[in-house]
Amino acid sequence: MAQDRKPVRWHVGVFLAPAVIVYTAIMIVPLFATLDLSLYEVRDKVAAFVGLGNFAKLFGDPNWSGQFWNALWNNTWFFVVNMAVQNPIGIGLAALLSSNRLRFAAAYRTAIFVPTILSFVIVGFVWKLILSPLWGIAPDLLKSVGLRHWFAPWLGDPHTALTTIALISVWQFIGIPMMLIYAALLSIPEEVIEAAEMDGITGMSQFWRIKLPLILPSIGIISILTFVGNFNAFDLIYVAQGALAGPDFSTDILGTFLYRTFFGFQLQLGDPNMGATIATVMFAIILVGVCVYLFGIQRRLRRYQF
Amino acid sequence: MKTTFSLALAGMLLSTTAALADTTITIESWRNDDLTVWQQKIIPAFEKEHPDIKVKFVPSAPTEYNAALNSKLDAGTAGDLITCRPFDASLALFKKGQLADLSDMKIMSNFSDVAKAAWQTDDAKHTFCVPMASVIHGFIYNKDAFKDVGIDAAPKTVDEFYADLDKIKKDGSYTPLDMGTHDQWEAATMGYENIGPTYWDGEKGRKAVIAGTEKLTDPQFVEPFKQLVKWTDYMGDGYKAQTYPDSQNLFTLGRAAIYPAGSWEISVFEKQADFKMGAFPPPVQKAGDQCYISDQPDHALGLNAASKHKDAAMTFLKWVGSQEFAQIYGNALPGFFPLTKEKVTIKDPLANEFLSWRQSCKPTMRYTYQILSRGTPNLENALWAASANVMNKTETPEQAAEELQKGLASWYEPQQK
C-alpha cells in the first residue's frame, strides 16, 4: 500500500545542510588537512610522503623528543594546577554565592567573573607589571605587611615560572566554574533542600551530602572543559613569557612548542609539516582525554531527575 | 587620422599616469619603533620626488616578523617590499623564489662586498636585498652617574670595567649594570655576542667555527659566559624577571649606570633620557689589546617576487640605494649606520661615538647568523637560552657551551670531526 511507504524526508537534509556544510568547511576539512600535512616532508621544495616519519622524528630524535616531553610535562602540570586550584575554589565561591545570607552577591559575582572576559594580552601584561621586581606592586604590598623577603622574581625563575603562570590562568578563569556550579546549585529544587532540612541535615553537611552529589555532572563538564582548554593553551604564556617560553623553556607547553615549530621564531624557520605533527599529537592527547572522560566517568555518573 | 592617433596616444598617456597615481606600495618590516620616522621623514622625502607613488610602512613585532612574513608570503598577501633579515632567513625566502634577484641593479655598486654578504647566496653570485643599515654593539653609560660616583673616563679594560662597577655598586644610588634575563635575547645579543669577539678574536673565531676548526667548548667561547656570570653581581634585584622594556625604562629614568647596548637604542634613549649619555666599546682583556666590535648587518630591503607593483617598488629600491637615502636614514634613525660606500655625515654625537669604533676596533658580526643557524636545534635560539641560563645560574658556563656544541654538531658536518 502506498500509504505505508514513508515519503523521503527532504526537509531533514535541507535543515541539516547549513550546519553540516559550515562545520565541514571550517572544522573537518582543516582537521584532516592538518593530519595529512603531518605525513609529508619538504625536500628540495617538493612535498614528499614520509608516512609516520615525522612522528618517529618527534619521538625518536633527541632534539625534538626532549622538547616535546618537556612541553607535555609542563602542560600536564599546568593542567594539574588549574584542576586542583581553580575548580575547588570555583565550587566554594559558587556555594558561598548561592547562600541566602550573603549580601552583595551580585557585585561579587560580577567582580569575580570580569577577568574571564578580559583579553589574554591585558591579563598577561597586567600580571607581568604587578609581579615586576622593578615597578610591580607585589614587592611593595609584601613590604607593607613585612614580608618583603618572600618576594622573588617568580616569572623569571625556572622553578616557579610555570606555577605562577598557571595561577594567573586560575585567576583569570575562576569565573567559569563558579558560574556553571552556581547555575547548577540554583537549579536544585527547594523541595529537596526542604526535605533535607526536615531530616536535620543543614549547613556544611547539607552541602556535602545533598548539593555536591547533585552538581557532580556539572563538575565533570568543568573538568573536561579545563582539560581541553589547558591542553590547547597558548595565549597567556605567549604574552607573558614570549614564544621561547622562558626561562629555559620552563613554561613551554604544547601550544607554544607548536607555534615555534609551525611558524618559526627569530632565526628558526617555520616547519609546517613538523608543526602539523605536533598538532596531530595534541589532537590525539585531547581526544584520548575526552574519551576517557566520556566512557569512563560520565556514564557512571548517577543523574537525578526531579 | 593623425589627430585621432595623437588623441589616442594622449588618452593612453593619461590613463597610464592615472594608473601610476594610484600605485601604492607597502613595506613589510619588524621595525615598529621606527614607524613615526618613516611616516614623517623618510616616506615624505620619497613622495616629494615621486608624487605618483604612495608608500605605506607596515611593521610588525620583531620576534613575530619572520613567522608572520613567511605565512603572508605563502598566502600571497605580503607587501611589495620586504625588509630583509640578514643571512639565512632571507636566503631561504630567495631560494623559495619569494624574493626577486636584484643582482643586476646598478646601485649595488654603491655597497662593499662585506655589506652585501648578508644578503647574498653562499657563492656571492646573487644579491637579493639592498643593504640599508648595520648596528654596532657596545655599552651606553649615564655620564651624570659616572660623575656622581667619581669615575672620570669610560673603562677600557675588563679590570677597569669591574672596578667601575664596584664603585657604582658601593655608591648604591644606581643599578650598576642594567640588563635582565626574562626575555632571554639580551643575554645573548647584548651580553655574549657583544663581549665575545674580544675573546675569540672577532672574524677569526667566527670563521673558524664555520670551518669547524674551533669548537664552542674552546676556552675562548666559554670565557664570555664566565664574564656574564660575573655581571650578575652588578645587575638589579630580580633581574631574572626584568624584561627588555624594563631595562630600557630603568636606564632612561636615570636609575642605572651602564647599559649593555646595541646602537639601535640611541634614538629611543635620546628621546627619553634627560641626562648626558656616553658610550664605550667592549673592554679589552689587557691594556693595548686589539679591540673588536660586533658591527652587525641588520636590515636591507628586497622585492617581493609576487609584487603587483614591481616598477614602483623598483623605483623605491633604487632610491634606497642612493646616497640621499643613506643621509636621511642615518640621521633620522641615529644608531642605524648606513652601509653605503658613499660619504654620509651623521650629526648625532652618541651615534658618532659608536661609528668611530669602526676605525679603532676590528669589526665582526654575531657568529650565530651566518650558516650556523640553519639546522635544528637552531643555534641562535639555543644561544639565547644558554646565555640566560648561565646568568640565571641554572647552568655552568661549561655545561652551556657543551650543550651548544652538541646541538650544533648534531647537524653541522664541519663540527662533527
Side-chain angles (χ1 to χ4, degrees):
Chain A
M1 295 255 256
Q3 268 171 324
D4 279 339
R5 267 220 316 251
K6 285 179 183 167
V8 182
R9 295 181 178 175
W10 291 108
H11 63 279
V12 173
V14 171
F15 286 134
L16 279 177
V20 170
I21 291 171
V22 170
Y23 191 74
T24 308
I26 64 173
M27 297 294 291
I28 298 179
V29 171
L31 177 65
F32 280 94
T34 305
L35 301 185
D36 183 54
L37 195 59
S38 67
L39 303 178
Y40 289 85
E41 186 184 76
V42 175
R43 286 186 201 137
D44 304 325
K45 293 185 224 167
V46 189
F49 184 79
V50 288
L52 296 177
N54 287 332
F55 292 90
K57 194 154 105 188
L58 183 63
F59 296 111
D61 181 343
N63 286 329
W64 287 98
S65 65
Q67 287 209 56
F68 173 76
W69 292 118
N70 173 50
L72 184 61
W73 162 246
N74 288 341
N75 218 149
T76 310
W77 177 244
F78 188 70
F79 168 65
V80 167
V81 172
N82 268 282
M83 266 309 269
V85 181
Q86 173 184 293
N87 297 344
I89 294 182
I91 295 165
L93 286 172
L96 285 177
L97 279 181
S98 65
S99 148
N100 294 329
R101 278 177 295 172
L102 185 76
R103 297 168 72 193
F104 311 120
Y108 291 131
R109 204 174 58 205
T110 313
I112 295 169
F113 194 72
V114 159
T116 308
I117 56 173
L118 286 180
S119 151
F120 281 104
V121 180
I122 297 170
V123 172
F125 183 70
V126 164
W127 273 98
K128 239 161 89 172
L129 273 184
I130 292 174
L131 297 176
S132 163
L134 291 170
W135 2 80
I137 59 162
D140 292 337
L141 277 179
L142 283 172
K143 199 174 177 179
S144 66
V145 291
L147 293 173
R148 177 63 179 81
H149 59 280
W150 276 23
F151 182 78
W154 289 302
L155 284 175
D157 186 330
H159 302 294
T160 54
L162 183 63
T163 311
T164 311
I165 292 274
L167 290 175
I168 295 174
S169 164
V170 166
W171 174 85
Q172 186 181 7
F173 287 115
I174 194 94
I176 302 264
M178 183 191 77
M179 285 309 234
L180 284 171
I181 300 292
Y182 180 60
L185 283 173
L186 289 186
S187 72
I188 299 174
E190 278 296 309
E191 299 85 46
V192 177
I193 306 290
E194 273 169 23
E197 277 168 4
M198 302 281 269
D199 291 340
I201 302 172
T202 53
M204 280 306 273
S205 69
Q206 189 184 65
F207 175 77
W208 289 112
R209 296 214 195 148
I210 310 290
K211 290 181 179 172
L212 195 63
L214 289 173
I215 58 172
L216 267 184
S218 295
I219 294 176
I221 291 289
I222 288 162
S223 308
I224 204 68
L225 281 178
T226 311
F227 174 76
V228 175
N230 286 167
F231 275 85
N232 273 327
F234 161 75
D235 332 43
L236 185 63
I237 287 174
Y238 180 71
V239 172
Q241 304 293 74
L244 277 186
D248 195 16
F249 297 108
S250 63
T251 55
D252 197 21
I253 59 172
L254 292 169
T256 44
F257 179 43
L258 161 70
Y259 174 85
R260 270 201 320 279
T261 311
F262 196 99
F263 295 106
F265 182 72
Q266 193 67 10
L267 294 194
Q268 178 185 339
L269 294 176
D271 183 344
N273 297 108
M274 280 312 283
T277 310
I278 297 167
T280 306
V281 173
M282 283 170 75
F283 174 69
I285 291 171
I286 293 172
L287 193 67
V288 168
V290 173
C291 287
V292 166
Y293 168 77
L294 281 182
F295 299 110
I297 299 172
Q298 203 190 31
R299 285 187 169 192
R300 291 189 198 160
L301 279 180
R302 208 181 299 168
R303 274 155 211 285
Y304 300 90
Q305 296 276 333
F306 303 122
Chain B
M1 182 67 199
K2 219 174 193 178
T3 38
T4 34
F5 179 72
S6 53
L7 265 178
L9 198 70
M12 263 167 67
L13 272 175
L14 271 176
S15 63
T16 42
T17 40
L20 267 179
D22 287 328
T23 311
T24 303
I25 50 175
T26 43
I27 303 174
E28 300 276 353
S29 173
W30 68 90
R31 294 294 317 159
N32 45 10
D33 287 348
D34 306 342
L35 182 61
T36 46
V37 172
W38 275 88
Q39 283 173 342
Q40 288 166 8
K41 291 187 182 160
I42 299 165
I43 295 176
F46 174 78
E47 286 179 348
K48 217 167 99 191
E49 279 176 51
H50 302 274
D52 47 338
I53 302 174
K54 296 272 168 282
V55 182
K56 266 204 316 206
F57 183 73
V58 243
S60 54
T63 50
E64 284 156 27
Y65 177 70
N66 293 19
L69 178 69
N70 284 351
S71 3
K72 278 194 206 169
L73 282 169
D74 288 340
T77 55
D80 306 281
L81 292 164
I82 312 285
T83 309
C84 305
R85 295 270 190 194
F87 298 107
D88 289 351
S90 298
L91 182 62
L93 297 181
F94 175 69
K95 281 189 176 157
K96 268 163 90 181
Q98 290 173 326
L99 282 178
D101 193 346
L102 303 178
S103 321
D104 299 334
M105 282 183 82
K106 263 194 202 138
I107 46 117
M108 282 299 176
S109 59
N110 289 356
F111 300 95
S112 69
D113 290 343
V114 180
K116 281 186 283 194
W119 298 285
Q120 282 179 328
T121 45
D122 289 350
D123 58 9
K125 276 193 184 132
H126 302 279
T127 311
F128 39 84
C129 298
V130 181
M132 286 169 87
S134 73
V135 292
I136 297 175
H137 286 284
F139 297 82
I140 299 179
Y141 66 97
N142 182 333
K143 272 192 177 164
D144 294 357
F146 269 42
K147 219 188 207 169
D148 270 2
V149 185
I151 303 167
D152 319 316
K156 290 207 175 63
T157 62
V158 175
D159 291 340
E160 281 174 32
F161 179 66
Y162 287 114
D164 288 349
L165 284 173
D166 278 328
K167 258 189 203 169
I168 302 162
K169 193 177 178 183
K170 217 170 158 195
D171 177 80
S173 32
Y174 301 93
T175 301
L177 197 61
D178 182 13
M179 194 162 97
T181 54
H182 179 275
D183 293 350
Q184 305 189 26
W185 66 272
E186 304 106 287
T189 313
M190 270 106 110
Y192 189 82
E193 302 217 57
N194 183 2
I195 57 168
T198 312
Y199 297 92
W200 63 71
D201 293 343
E203 283 293 274
K204 192 176 140 260
R206 186 179 79 86
K207 291 202 167 128
V209 176
I210 293 174
T213 51
E214 284 178 21
K215 294 200 175 339
L216 299 180
T217 42
D218 291 346
Q220 64 270 32
F221 288 93
V222 180
E223 186 56 32
F225 278 134
K226 291 185 178 160
Q227 296 292 323
L228 291 187
V229 177
K230 277 196 199 171
W231 284 19
T232 57
D233 290 342
Y234 304 100
M235 283 162 37
D237 186 21
Y239 67 87
K240 289 177 189 173
Q242 185 174 329
T243 64
Y244 175 53
D246 285 345
S247 308
Q248 287 179 310
N249 287 328
L250 197 67
F251 187 74
T252 51
L253 287 172
R255 283 167 54 181
I258 300 176
Y259 181 93
S263 56
W264 64 86
E265 308 280 11
I266 293 173
S267 53
V268 187
F269 282 6
E270 282 185 335
K271 254 180 262 158
Q272 292 174 358
D274 54 2
F275 49 85
K276 282 203 198 103
M277 287 179 288
F280 58 89
V284 294
Q285 297 176 68
K286 282 190 292 300
D289 276 1
Q290 172 67 46
C291 64
Y292 293 90
I293 51 163
S294 172
D295 185 358
Q296 172 80 5
D298 189 68
H299 55 280
L301 202 62
L303 174 65
N304 180 354
S307 163
K308 290 195 184 79
H309 310 290
K310 276 201 181 130
D311 291 341
M314 284 302 274
T315 314
F316 190 81
L317 277 177
K318 252 180 239 160
W319 184 68
V320 167
S322 70
Q323 192 267 348
E324 186 201 348
F325 172 85
Q327 185 72 37
I328 297 173
Y329 199 70
N331 283 300
L333 293 168
F336 288 98
F337 303 109
L339 288 158
T340 175
K341 279 194 270 187
E342 290 178 63
K343 192 165 166 43
V344 175
T345 38
I346 306 283
K347 290 184 195 105
D348 186 279
L350 191 56
N352 258 326
E353 217 164 325
F354 273 89
L355 198 56
S356 70
W357 305 336
R358 275 193 185 159
Q359 262 74 53
S360 49
C361 302
K362 279 193 185 165
T364 177
M365 49 197 164
R366 299 181 201 151
Y367 82 99
T368 44
Y369 270 63
Q370 194 176 24
I371 301 171
L372 300 179
S373 285
R374 268 180 204 172
T376 310
N378 183 284
L379 184 63
E380 168 80 358
N381 289 2
L383 183 68
W384 290 14
S387 307
N389 288 351
V390 165
M391 296 188 95
N392 289 344
K393 293 173 188 159
T394 51
E395 264 185 336
T396 66
E398 289 79 10
Q399 279 169 342
E402 189 110 347
E403 217 154 280
L404 287 179
Q405 176 65 29
K406 212 176 89 195
L408 179 64
S410 73
W411 62 270
Y412 187 58
E413 268 171 44
Q415 282 289 350
Q416 287 165 350
K417 282 169 280 178

